[in-house]
Amino acid sequence: MPILDAIFGRRSVRRYKKKPVPRKVLRNVLEAGRLAPTANNAQPWHFIVVTDPEVKRALSRGRWNKFIEDSAFTVVGCGERASRWSTIDVAIALENMVIAAEAQGVGSCWVGDFKEGQVRKLLGIPGNLKVVCLVSFGYPDEKPRAPNKKSLEEIVHYNAF
Ligand SMILES: Cc1cc2nc3c(=O)[nH]c(=O)nc-3n(C[C@H](O)[C@H](O)[C@H](O)COP(=O)(O)O)c2cc1C
């Protein structure tokens, strides 16, 4: 799939087929994260890939994250607290994964609805890392309508605000 089709056509997908994602496809997704730009090439990140049904269920207890349970896998993006840029770096890497997944027919949804303490305890994440965000992935079982997006005229300014 051409890259612009993946970016322009992507929607947040919250219903997934019960169809596993092949290892090669998962690996491409993770590679897209690994190769993302990162300030000073510091790579201040760790990614926990959750495939275990019990763990996915435990992560999906909130109002806006129920779909984690049905995801093929959910990636928990963690950034080093000591790094000034880790939140941005992890976010870029996660979005690279989203686009790489989309290009391979795999849908995804970012999940900001999580309790850091609960996720940390559940997954054994050490104290030097913060949980930046989660993203769930899986083959789409819905075709979400395009949400309203602001026009370029509203948000882009040339040379000055
Ligand atoms: C940082 C971030 C956190 C998000 N958290 C959630 C969430 O907890 N639950 C959810 O259903 N969607 C979540 N989303 C998805 C947004 O709701 C979605 O991107 C937005 O409605 C625009 O729709 P689109 O992704 O289809 O363009 C999140 C997106 C981002 C970028």
Side-chain angles (χ1 to χ4, degrees), residues 1-3 5-7 9-13 15-22 24-26 28-29 72-73 96-109 136-144:
M1 183 193 288
I3 191 72
D5 287 352
I7 293 172
R10 182 210 58 82
R11 300 271 73 85
S12 285
V13 171
R15 290 175 70 95
Y16 304 107
K17 289 188 174 140
K18 279 196 174 20
K19 179 180 161 191
V21 171
K24 173 73 182 156
V25 174
L26 167 61
N28 286 340
V29 169
F73 63 94
N96 255 22
M97 293 185 197
V98 163
I99 303 302
E102 183 74 25
Q104 299 177 98
V106 174
S108 64
C109 189
S136 62
F137 295 88
Y139 287 106
D141 199 20
E142 64 170 349
K143 262 196 164 239

Side-chain angles (χ1 to χ4, degrees), residues 8 27 43 46 50 69 71 79 85 90 93 104 121 127-128 133 141 143 149:
F8 292 174
R27 192 167 170 93
Q43 304 164 67
H46 286 270
V50 180
E69 184 172 359
S71 66
W85 299 106
V90 170
Q104 299 177 98
K121 202 167 156 200
N128 64 315
C133 214
D141 199 20
K143 262 196 164 239
K149 300 282 183 181

Side-chain angles (χ1 to χ4, degrees), residues 38-58:
T38 149
N40 301 312
N41 199 29
Q43 304 164 67
W45 49 37
H46 286 270
F47 304 99
I48 302 168
V49 182
V50 180
T51 56
D52 185 300
E54 286 302 316
V55 184
K56 283 189 289 184
R57 197 166 304 135

Side-chain angles (χ1 to χ4, degrees), residues 12 22 40 55 68 75 77 91 102 110 121 129-130 132 135 143:
S12 285
N40 301 312
V55 184
I68 288 180
V75 175
E102 183 74 25
W110 281 73
K121 202 167 156 200
L129 298 178
K130 61 187 165 193
V132 175
V135 182
K143 262 196 164 239

Side-chain angles (χ1 to χ4, degrees), residues 67-81:
F67 48 88
I68 288 180
E69 184 172 359
D70 301 323
S71 66
F73 63 94
T74 290
V75 175
V76 179
C78 303
E80 292 170 9
R81 287 188 196 284

